[in-house]
C-alpha cells in the first residue's frame, strides 16, 4: 500500500510540474522541428539572467499552445550544455536567442517583443494556430498610428493627450493601467481625447521623430485651435492626469469616473442661493426672479437652482435633506448611464450650494460658544 501511494504521489507531482515546452537535444531536434511541423525555439544558458527572466513567460507560451502540439512546437535548447552543437549550428552567440523554424526547417530570427502576447501573436501569424490565451479587453485609450494620428491629434476642435510608448518598455507597462483609467474617466468628454501610439513601431517612427520622442513613455498634450504642443511632465498618477486635463480641457471630471464636486456650480447663483435661504416673503420672491433672469444666460444647469428654490419655499429643510439622500443613493449605486449620472451629480452639487453656507455658520456658532466658554474659565 505504501508503495502504491508513493507512486501515486510521484505521478501527481510529475503531472503538476510537467512542462509544455519541448526540451530539444541533437538527438531529437530533427524529429521535432522542421519535419512537417514548425516551431519557436529558445536557445538558452542555465546561468543567463535574461533567460531566467524569460522562463516563466516561455512556460506560459508553451501552455498557450499545448492544445496544438501536433501542429506547432514551443521548444528550448540548452545551448551551453547538451545542445551546444545546435547553438553553434544555428549561429547562436548570445542568450536567450529565439528562432523560428518553418515546416521544412528553414530558420529566421525572432526579433519581436518578449512578452506573452507578442510571442503568441507571432506564432499564430506564422503557423495559423491560435493560442488559448483569452484576448485582452479592447483598450480604453484611443489607439493612434501613422494613418490616423494627424486627423485626431491635430484636430483643432479637440484637446488630445498622447502617450508615446513602446511594447517592451517597463515604465510604459506600469503606466498603462493608470492611463487606461484616465481614459475611462474622460470617456464622456468627446472633445478631450486620451490616446496612445506605439512610437517604436516602424511605421510610426516618423511621428515620434517629428515630436522629438527619444525615450518612453513620452507624454504630450495637443491643445485645440492648433496651439503649441505641450510636454506633460507631471506625476504619472490618475489624480495628476485628471487635474491636468480638467485645467487644459475646461472639464470637471473626477478620479474614478463621473464629475467632481464643482460640476454644475455657478458662482453668481451660489451667492443667490445663500441669500434665498436667509430671506423670506417678498424678499425671497425677488431673489427668485433675479435668479430667473440670470439663468437665461448661464446654461442648462442654472435651471437646477431655480427648481431647488421652487421646492424649498414651503418646506426647505425636508426637501433639501430628502433630495440629497436620494441623489446620493443613486450616485453610489452607479446603475444608470454615464450621461444620466453626470446630470444627477450636477443636481447634487447644486443642492450643496443651498446648505454649505448654513453648515459654515453653524460651525462658526459652535466655535463662538466654545470661545466664550473658554474665556469665562
Amino acid at each position: 500500500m505504501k508503495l502504491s501511494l508513493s507512486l501515486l504521489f510521484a505521478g501527481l507531482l510529475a503531472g503538476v510540474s510537467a512542462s509544455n515546452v519541448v526540451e530539444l537535444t541533437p538527438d531529437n531536434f530533427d524529429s521535432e522541428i522542421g519535419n512537417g511541423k514548425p516551431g519557436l525555439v529558445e536557445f538558452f544558458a542555465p546561468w543567463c539572467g535574461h533567460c531566467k527572466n524569460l522562463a516563466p513567460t516561455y512556460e506560459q507560451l508553451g501552455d498557450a499552445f499545448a492544445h496544438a502540439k501536433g501542429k506547432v512546437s514551443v521548444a528550448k535548447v540548452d545551448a551551453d550544455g547538451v545542445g551546444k552543437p545546435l547553438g553553434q549550428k544555428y549561429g547562436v552567440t548570445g542568450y536567450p536567442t529565439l528562432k523560428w523554424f518553418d515546416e521544412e526547417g528553414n530558420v529566421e530570427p525572432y526579433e519581436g517583443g518578449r512578452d506573452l502576447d507578442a510571442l503568441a501573436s507571432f506564432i499564430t501569424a506564422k503557423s495559423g494556430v491560435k493560442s488559448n490565451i483569452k484576448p485582452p479587453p479592447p483598450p480604453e485609450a484611443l489607439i493612434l498610428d501613422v494613418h490616423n494620428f494627424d486627423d485626431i491629434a491635430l484636430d483643432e476642435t479637440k484637446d488630445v493627450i498622447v502617450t508615446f510608448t513602446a511594447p517592451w518598455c517597463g515604465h510604459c507597462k506600469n503606466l498603462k493601467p493608470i492611463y487606461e483609467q484616465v481614459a475611462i474617466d474622460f470617456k464622456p468628454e468627446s472633445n478631450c481625447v486620451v490616446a496612445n501610439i506605439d512610437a517604436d513601431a516602424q511605421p510610426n517612427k516618423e511621428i515620434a521623430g517629428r515630436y522629438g520622442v527619444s525615450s518612453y513613455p513620452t507624454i504630450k498634450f495637443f491643445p485645440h485651435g492648433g496651439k503649441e504642443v505641450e510636454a506633460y511632465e507631471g506625476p504619472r498618477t490618475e489624480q495628476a492626469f485628471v487635474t491636468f486635463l480638467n485645467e487644459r480641457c475646461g472639464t470637471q471630471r473626477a478620479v474614478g469616473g463621473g464629475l467632481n464636486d464643482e460640476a454644475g456650480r455657478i458662482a453668481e447663483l451660489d451667492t443667490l442661493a445663500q441669500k434665498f435661504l436667509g430671506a423670506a416673503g417678498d424678499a425671497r420672491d425677488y431673489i427668485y426672479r433675479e435668479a430667473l433672469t440670470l439663468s437665461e444666460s448661464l446654461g442648462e444647469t442654472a435651471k437646477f437652482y431655480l427648481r431647488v428654490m421652487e421646492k424649498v419655499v414651503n418646506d426647505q429643510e425636508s426637501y433639501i435633506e430628502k433630495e440629497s439622500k436620494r441623489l446620493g443613493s443613486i450616485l453610489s449605486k452607479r446603475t444608470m448611464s454615464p450621461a444620466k449620472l453626470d446630470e444627477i451629480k450636477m443636481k447634487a452639487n447644486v443642492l450643496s450650494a443651498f446648505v454649505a453656507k448654513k453648515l459654515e455658520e453653524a460651525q462658526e456658532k459652535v466655535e463662538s460658544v466654545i470661545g466664550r466658554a473658554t474665556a469665562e474659565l
Side-chain angles (χ1 to χ4, degrees), residues 206-278:
E206 182 277 326
I207 296 172
R210 191 196 311 171
Y211 293 102
V213 175
S214 58
S215 62
Y216 310 109
T218 291
I219 308 169
K220 293 186 179 288
F221 180 73
F222 295 76
H224 71 278
K227 300 171 188 172
E228 185 177 353
V229 177
E230 176 183 357
Y232 175 83
E233 298 176 346
R236 294 171 184 174
T237 64
E238 183 185 356
Q239 178 65 72
F241 280 118
V242 168
T243 299
F244 176 88
L245 289 175
N246 278 339
E247 290 174 353
R248 301 304 192 278
C249 300
T251 51
Q252 294 175 309
R253 289 290 143 190
V255 169
L259 293 170
N260 62 26
D261 292 340
E262 298 303 314
R265 295 284 292 269
I266 300 172
E268 298 95 323
L269 292 179
D270 281 354
T271 300
L272 290 181
Q274 293 302 313
K275 290 181 178 179
F276 184 84
L277 286 177

Side-chain angles (χ1 to χ4, degrees), residues 27 34 43 78 117 141 199 211 291 301 306 365 377:
D27 295 332
F43 293 83
D78 180 355
D117 288 338
Y211 293 102
T301 59
L306 299 176
K365 288 181 181 179
L377 290 173

Side-chain angles (χ1 to χ4, degrees), residues 41 55 63 66 71 98 105 123 130 142-143 150 199 246 272 275 316 330-331 333 367:
V41 180
D63 294 341
K71 298 179 180 179
L98 297 171
I123 291 177
K130 293 183 179 180
L142 182 63
I143 301 302
D150 288 354
N246 278 339
L272 290 181
K275 290 181 178 179
Q316 77 176 48
I330 294 173
L331 290 170
K333 293 175 182 176
E367 291 175 355

Side-chain angles (χ1 to χ4, degrees), residues 149-165:
F149 185 91
D150 288 354
D151 289 339
I152 295 172
L154 305 185
D155 184 342
E156 295 193 1
T157 67
K158 300 182 187 299
D159 293 303
V160 185
I161 188 169
V162 181
T163 49
F164 293 78
T165 61

